[in-house]
Amino acid sequence: MFKVLANAFKVKDIRDKLIYVLLVLLVYRIGTTIPLPGINLDALYYLQGMGGDPTFFMMMMGGGYGTLMAMGIMPYITASIIMQLLTVAIPKLEQIQKEGEEGRKRINQYTRRFAVVLAFLQGSAMVSSYVNNPWGIQLFNIPNMLTYVMAVVGMVSGTIFIMWLAELLTERGIGNGASFIIFANILSSLPMAIQGLIYLLDPNALTMGIIRLVAVIVIFALVIAFVVMVAEGERRIPVQYSKKMAGRMFNNSYIPIKVNIAGVMSIIFSISLLQFPAQLSQFFPFNETLQTISFYLGLNHWVGVSVYVVLIFLFTFFYTSFSINTVEMSQNMKANGGFIPGIRPGKPTGDFVQTVVDRMSWIGAVCYSLIAITPVIFEQITGIAAGFGGTTLLIATGVALEFIKQLESQLLMRHYKGFLS
């Protein structure tokens, strides 16, 4: 990885892109420190010191509690996921998507508009949680409706600005801009995770503290290794394509079926549903029914963990079902003279590929569940917070691996250009 980065900095245009990415991320991180209009900073810092952060996705949002960019890129991510589902469910949207570049632009425009609507709803919920926080602390200097409306508008504007930064990174940088935003947010929590590990070293029980610290580091390393294995794992189905060249010859190829077909989408869907009652309780902070449901669906309760695992399995199969069209794949293979050795072309090929996809989905769902609940189980058994969650590790590792692959492909392309010139 470090060798790829070193080679990338030797190429001027790639180096310029990397510097551009760093500058845009710097602007974004500065924006996460700009407070909301009318916010009481002293009360805000006091509430943060008490652990009064009510938002579930704060690590992915960047930890900008009480700032203009408190919601981060998450409304856009949620809108993108929902639009993907609607594109499959609504034939009109599916037709628009198949119209080429213009169709994709229209879908992106719909996604942006929907993201603004979600940002307004989520911003209203967050401002409501600021006003009705459990400690009864007044977070606004002038507690009236105009101040609350200004705060919501400010948070929505911050989300729109982040969406613009993400599109700039996608167009002029390397890789997906939204992924970089989330990656930067996760890394911003690294100092707090390191500080939590330092607290394990109790001067009064130094030996036990060192053992606990080593145990956390070992589990952390094992989880990262497992995440990389899942991200890179795939089942290769051999395919042969026939060509007539002075006789009959075959070109061998393969279809890669990855373990993480659904990626982190199944986990994000599951978390969103699991935490919906908690988000809803921000609007109704004194509703005992919502508070009870939120308690039982929390990851600190076995009911919440069980529902979490079930949802991961359901959404893994659901997302995979429209990510890979085995019928269309078998038809294209047959039209191009391709076949799987030992399997007849047409429907038998589609059925065989579907069986492989289903088996990989089972493996992927089990792996996602283990990654997601390992930190929860570890904390329940030892009482030690693992620092990073399995989900954030999965996202961060996936973004890092994709970034390195993008750099390698661009370096390879420039190598070929230099060779041809």
Side-chain angles (χ1 to χ4, degrees), residues 19 55 63 109 116 151 198 232 279 288 311 319 418:
I19 294 175
T55 57
Q109 190 65 25
V116 173
I198 295 176
E232 294 295 297
Q279 297 291 325
E288 294 184 0
L311 288 175
Y319 195 85

Side-chain angles (χ1 to χ4, degrees), residues 67-218:
T67 67
L68 290 175
M69 299 184 181
M71 292 185 294
I73 194 68
M74 289 311 297
Y76 179 75
I77 297 296
T78 305
S80 300
I81 294 172
I82 295 176
M83 284 302 299
Q84 288 183 16
L85 298 176
L86 293 179
T87 301
V88 177
I90 301 177
K92 180 63 176 178
L93 292 177
E94 186 176 5
Q95 182 181 354
I96 293 175
Q97 191 180 38
K98 292 180 179 179
E99 292 177 356
E101 186 64 26
E102 291 299 322
R104 285 190 291 271
K105 288 182 179 179
R106 289 180 62 184
I107 294 294
N108 289 337
Q109 190 65 25
Y110 295 154
T111 304
R112 296 188 194 103
R113 294 173 182 175
F114 189 35
V116 173
V117 175
L118 291 179
F120 178 79
L121 294 175
Q122 188 174 348
S124 301
M126 293 185 71
V127 171
S128 176
S129 70
Y130 296 162
V131 176
N132 303 303
N133 61 82
W135 291 270
I137 300 174
Q138 183 54 252
L139 290 180
F140 291 94
N141 293 319
I142 305 177
N144 57 32
M145 185 56 64
L146 180 61
T147 303
Y148 304 153
V149 171
M150 290 176 59
V152 173
V153 172
M155 295 175 74
V156 173
S157 302
T159 298
I160 295 174
F161 181 70
I162 295 172
M163 289 165 52
W164 179 65
L165 291 180
E167 291 185 358
L168 286 180
L169 287 175
T170 302
E171 293 175 3
R172 305 181 185 180
I174 299 175
N176 184 274
S179 299
F180 273 114
I181 295 291
I182 296 177
F183 185 71
N185 292 339
I186 294 174
L187 289 186
S188 68
S189 302
L190 185 60
M192 293 183 61
I194 295 176
Q195 186 178 9
L197 291 178
I198 295 176
Y199 285 153
L200 296 177
L201 297 175
D202 187 0
N204 298 323
L206 188 58
T207 303
M208 182 58 65
I210 293 175
I211 294 175
R212 296 169 68 186
L213 178 61
V214 171
V216 171
I217 293 176
V218 169

Side-chain angles (χ1 to χ4, degrees), residues 215-227:
V216 171
I217 293 176
V218 169
I219 292 178
F220 179 75
L222 291 176
V223 171
I224 289 181
F226 186 67
V227 166

Side-chain angles (χ1 to χ4, degrees), residues 221-235 256-267 312 316 359-372 374 390-391 393-395 397-399 401 405:
L222 291 176
V223 171
I224 289 181
F226 186 67
V227 166
V228 173
M229 183 181 67
V230 172
E232 294 295 297
E234 63 182 19
R235 162 77 156 86
I257 307 295
K258 299 186 71 65
V259 173
N260 62 336
I261 298 174
V264 296
M265 295 303 179
S266 59
I267 298 179
I312 289 176
T316 296
R359 290 175 179 173
M360 298 303 290
S361 297
W362 278 105
I363 296 174
V366 171
C367 293
Y368 301 151
S369 300
L370 290 175
I371 292 171
T374 294
T391 305
L393 282 177
L394 186 62
I395 295 173
T397 304
V399 174
L401 291 174
K405 289 179 181 178

Side-chain angles (χ1 to χ4, degrees), residues 247-270:
R248 190 170 183 81
M249 299 181 63
F250 295 98
N251 287 340
N252 295 323
S253 182
Y254 62 86
I255 302 174
I257 307 295
K258 299 186 71 65
V259 173
N260 62 336
I261 298 174
V264 296
M265 295 303 179
S266 59
I267 298 179
I268 293 176
F269 280 139
S270 303

